[in-house]
């Protein structure tokens, strides 16, 4: 007589066998509602992200508008607008495109300039350095004017 097994008995059919192991890893009938809700949440999340991505393609605001954009960057934004390229087989459209200066620059860089190897952080650093130089120039002129005023008060003639 075979020994009796105590505890969980193994299922008899292949489907029961599969369900037994799926239940062990959290995919059994009791978990269907959870996975249904998780699927809905993922679909909604991807739908919102897709809408944001689509809006980003045509947005007048730019991406991540919560971060303020410097004035210099706003002034140069028109250089980076997305360009529509004509279909290669359409000769008339290609001629018009070349007449408009569409081949100048690269598809990533600004129109009329060859793309240099500057990424966003280099551009921000350059703007920061430029602002620093302007502030230093203002400070220097203010100090110079103060010294000239003091010397003129003492009776020296300074140009």
């Amino acid at each position: 007589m075979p020994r009796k097994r105590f505890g969980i008995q193994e299922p008899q059919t292949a489907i029961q066998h599969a369900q037994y192991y799926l239940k062990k890893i959290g995919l059994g009938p009791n978990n269907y509602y959870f996975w249904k809700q998780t699927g809905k949440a993922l679909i909604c999340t991807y739908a919102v992200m897709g809408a944001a991505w689509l809006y980003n393609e045509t947005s007048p605001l730019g991406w991540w508008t919560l971060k303020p954009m410097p004035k210099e960057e706003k002034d140069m934004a028109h250089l980076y607008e997305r360009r529509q390229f004509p279909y290669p087989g359409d000769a008339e459209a290609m001629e018009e495109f070349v007449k408009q200066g569409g081949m100048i620059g690269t598809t990533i860089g600004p129109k009329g300039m060859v793309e240099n190897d500057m990424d966003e952080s280099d551009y921000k650093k350059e703007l920061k350095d430029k602002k620093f130089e302007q502030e230093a120039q203002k400070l220097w002129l203010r100090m110079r004017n103060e010294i000239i005023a003091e010397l003129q008060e003492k009776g020296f003639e300074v140009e």
Side-chain angles (χ1 to χ4, degrees):
M1 180 165 192
R3 293 175 67 187
K4 204 177 215 183
R5 293 179 73 193
F6 295 103
I8 302 172
Q9 289 202 352
E10 292 289 326
Q12 304 301 325
T13 65
I15 293 174
Q16 289 175 337
H17 190 69
Q19 285 180 346
Y20 171 78
Y21 285 107
L22 287 173
K23 187 169 115 179
K24 287 275 194 189
I25 62 170
L27 298 173
N30 297 338
N31 304 110
Y32 288 160
Y33 181 73
F34 167 77
W35 290 111
K36 181 180 174 183
Q37 294 299 96
T38 304
K40 284 182 190 178
L42 286 172
I43 288 172
C44 292
T45 303
Y46 284 119
V48 169
M49 288 172 59
W53 176 74
L54 182 65
Y55 182 71
N56 182 33
E57 292 291 314
T58 57
S59 172
L61 305 174
W63 190 241
W64 301 119
T65 54
L66 298 176
K67 180 177 68 172
M69 192 182 300
K71 183 179 181 289
E72 295 88 358
E73 197 172 332
K74 286 180 187 174
D75 293 341
M76 294 177 61
H78 70 282
L79 296 173
Y80 293 92
E81 66 189 9
R82 184 176 289 257
R83 284 174 270 164
Q84 298 294 326
F85 293 97
Y87 186 72
D90 190 1
E92 184 179 320
M94 281 297 280
E95 287 175 14
E96 184 180 328
F97 179 70
V98 172
K99 283 180 189 175
Q100 291 177 350
M103 297 302 274
I104 298 172
T106 64
T107 57
I108 299 170
K111 294 178 181 175
M113 291 175 60
V114 176
E115 179 67 30
N116 52 4
D117 293 333
M118 285 182 59
D119 58 355
E120 185 179 350
S121 62
D122 291 339
Y123 178 71
K124 286 182 179 179
K125 185 177 179 185
E126 185 178 315
L127 285 177
K128 190 176 178 182
D129 290 343
K130 187 177 177 182
K131 285 183 181 180
F132 179 75
E133 289 295 326
Q134 288 175 349
E135 291 296 322
Q137 185 72 19
K138 285 180 190 176
L139 183 62
W140 170 253
L141 289 173
R142 191 180 327 143
M143 289 172 55
R144 181 176 161 260
N145 291 338
E146 287 177 9
I147 292 172
I148 290 173
E150 286 179 17
L151 289 174
Q152 286 176 347
E153 286 176 6
K154 291 180 181 178
F156 293 102
E157 288 195 25
V158 181
E159 293 180 15

